[in-house]
């Protein structure tokens, strides 16, 4: 990422793009969201590690995996393949936790019947349930913004609003406040000043428009605790950006005096 940023700065210096390169480069939103989630997951590693250890115990050997499959089907349930997470794979931890939570009863019964050593209590499962509620929004946004058959840039602001709502709601929870603080800080590192590319693309979306962009910026900044002065400055910058487009176009293609 640092090499990419350096390369972009060199290109900006050599090519001198219009509007100071405001629309010259944008970070991958899904990569940023993944980093936000990873910062949060680092804070709850003691709980998620227990789930990972439980899955490794159940699925770690071919023999035990077959025994678990028979155990599940013997109870009239469908055997589900495990989802093992990897930090570099978007949403992989969410998928792992979601499937484990869905099978938590049979997983624990099989684990206890086979003298497993992983200690998971009801409080741990409650924390997993709450964590899934937090990560669900990031999962849906990442999936939506990873689309390849439709434009995704006009959708970014709406997804950021939904994410900011999730962070605001869970920040009031004493248990999750430190986790949300880290996730919020990582998000603001990249998007405290909203890229004009996202704002202008959303304004061209008939569902949003200029008024919608202004409302979204106000709501996002309010949810993330950004000052009203900074928000007003962001809105002013957004309103001025189309003038820069027009002036640039007029310079290149406007009528010339004879």
């Amino acid at each position: 990422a640092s090499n990419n940023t350096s390369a972009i700065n060199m290109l900006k210096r050599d090519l001198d793009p219009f509007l100071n390169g405001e629309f010259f480069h944008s970070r991958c939103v899904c990569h940023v969201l993944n980093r936000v989630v990873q910062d949060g997951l680092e804070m709850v590693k003691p709980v998620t590690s227990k789930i990972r250890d439980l899955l490794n115990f159940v699925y770690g050997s071919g023999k035990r995996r077959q025994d678990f499959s028979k155990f599940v089907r013997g109870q009239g349930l469908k055997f589900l393949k495990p989802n093992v997470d990897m930090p570099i794979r978007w949403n992989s931890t969410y998928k792992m936790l979601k499937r484990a939570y869905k099978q938590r009863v049979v997983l624990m019964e099989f684990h206890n019947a086979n003298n497993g050593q992983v200690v998971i209590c009801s409080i741990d499962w409650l924390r997993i349930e709450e964590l899934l509620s937090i990560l669900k929004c990031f999962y849906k946004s990442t999936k939506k913004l990873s689309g390849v058959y439709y434009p995704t840039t006009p959708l970014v602001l709406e997804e950021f609003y939904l994410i900011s709502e999730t962070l605001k709601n869970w920040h009031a929870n004493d248990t999750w406040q430190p986790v949300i603080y880290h996730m919020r800080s990582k998000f603001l590192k990249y998007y405290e000043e909203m890229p004009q590319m996202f704002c202008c693309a959303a304004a061209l979306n008939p569902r949003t428009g200029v008024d919608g962009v202004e409302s979204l910026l106000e709501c996002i900044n309010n949810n993330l605790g950004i000052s009203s002065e900074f928000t007003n400055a962001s809105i002013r910058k957004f309103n001025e950006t189309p003038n820069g487009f027009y002036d640039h176009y007029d310079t290149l293609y406007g009528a010339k005096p004879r």
Side-chain angles (χ1 to χ4, degrees):
S2 58
N3 290 338
N4 190 27
T5 301
S6 299
I8 291 298
N9 289 334
M10 291 175 63
L11 288 172
K12 284 182 179 180
R13 182 192 64 205
D14 295 341
L15 300 178
D16 190 26
F18 77 105
L19 293 180
N20 296 318
E22 187 75 46
F23 294 81
F24 191 71
H25 170 249
S26 173
R27 296 181 185 275
C28 174
V29 174
C30 294
H31 272 102
V32 174
L33 294 183
N34 184 50
R35 297 194 66 177
V36 172
V37 169
Q38 292 301 326
D39 267 31
L41 290 175
E42 189 67 26
M43 300 286 293
V44 293
K45 186 177 287 186
V47 177
T48 57
S49 294
K50 290 182 179 181
I51 304 302
R52 197 175 294 108
D53 292 342
L54 173 63
L55 295 178
N56 287 336
F57 173 81
V58 174
Y59 297 102
S61 69
K63 175 66 168 58
R64 195 176 292 135
R65 178 170 176 161
Q66 289 179 355
D67 291 343
F68 179 64
S69 176
K70 294 177 183 178
F71 180 79
V72 171
R73 292 190 172 96
Q75 298 194 32
L77 300 174
K78 182 180 179 181
F79 173 73
L80 301 176
K81 294 181 180 179
N83 277 328
V84 182
D85 67 332
M86 292 178 60
I88 60 173
R89 291 176 59 194
W90 301 341
N91 299 313
S92 60
T93 303
Y94 172 80
K95 293 179 180 179
M96 178 190 75
L97 297 176
K98 183 180 180 181
R99 180 156 293 185
Y101 184 79
K102 186 176 182 179
Q103 300 184 97
R104 63 191 183 281
V105 175
V106 288
L107 280 170
M108 292 307 300
E109 287 180 357
F110 181 81
H111 168 269
N112 296 335
N114 288 269
N115 301 315
Q117 302 299 313
V118 183
V119 179
I120 303 180
C121 62
S122 58
I123 296 297
D124 292 326
W125 286 114
L126 175 61
R127 294 291 173 261
I128 293 300
E129 181 183 13
E130 293 172 341
L131 180 59
L132 286 171
S133 297
I134 296 171
L135 297 183
K136 183 178 181 180
C137 182
F138 288 89
Y139 170 77
K140 293 174 70 174
S141 293
T142 301
K143 191 172 181 180
K144 191 171 185 178
L145 297 177
S146 297
V148 294
Y149 296 111
Y150 54 88
T152 56
T153 308
L155 309 177
V156 172
L157 273 191
E158 291 182 23
E159 296 305 311
F160 280 2
Y161 164 70
L162 296 174
I163 288 172
S164 71
E165 279 283 299
T166 297
L167 295 176
K168 176 188 175 183
N169 293 338
W170 283 97
H171 189 264
N173 186 300
D174 292 338
T175 301
W176 291 98
Q177 194 173 78
V179 177
I180 298 301
Y181 174 81
H182 277 76
M183 297 176 74
R184 173 184 171 276
S185 298
K186 179 66 75 172
F187 185 88
L188 290 178
K189 174 183 176 181
Y190 294 97
Y191 296 128
E192 182 174 15
E193 183 175 348
M194 195 62 64
Q196 291 303 304
M197 183 183 297
F198 300 156
C199 297
C200 291
L204 294 174
N205 184 349
R207 294 176 55 230
T208 309
V210 172
D211 291 340
V213 171
E214 293 180 358
S215 296
L216 285 170
L217 287 174
E218 288 180 0
C219 292
I220 291 170
N221 288 0
N222 180 60
N223 288 340
L224 298 177
I226 299 175
S227 68
S228 58
E229 292 82 4
F230 191 91
T231 300
N232 292 334
S234 298
I235 293 175
R236 283 196 302 271
K237 183 177 181 180
F238 160 64
N239 289 325
E240 293 168 357
T241 299
N243 295 330
F245 272 112
Y246 178 83
D247 292 342
H248 181 71
Y249 181 88
D250 186 56
T251 300
L252 293 177
Y253 306 110
K256 307 294 183 184
R258 295 186 178 182

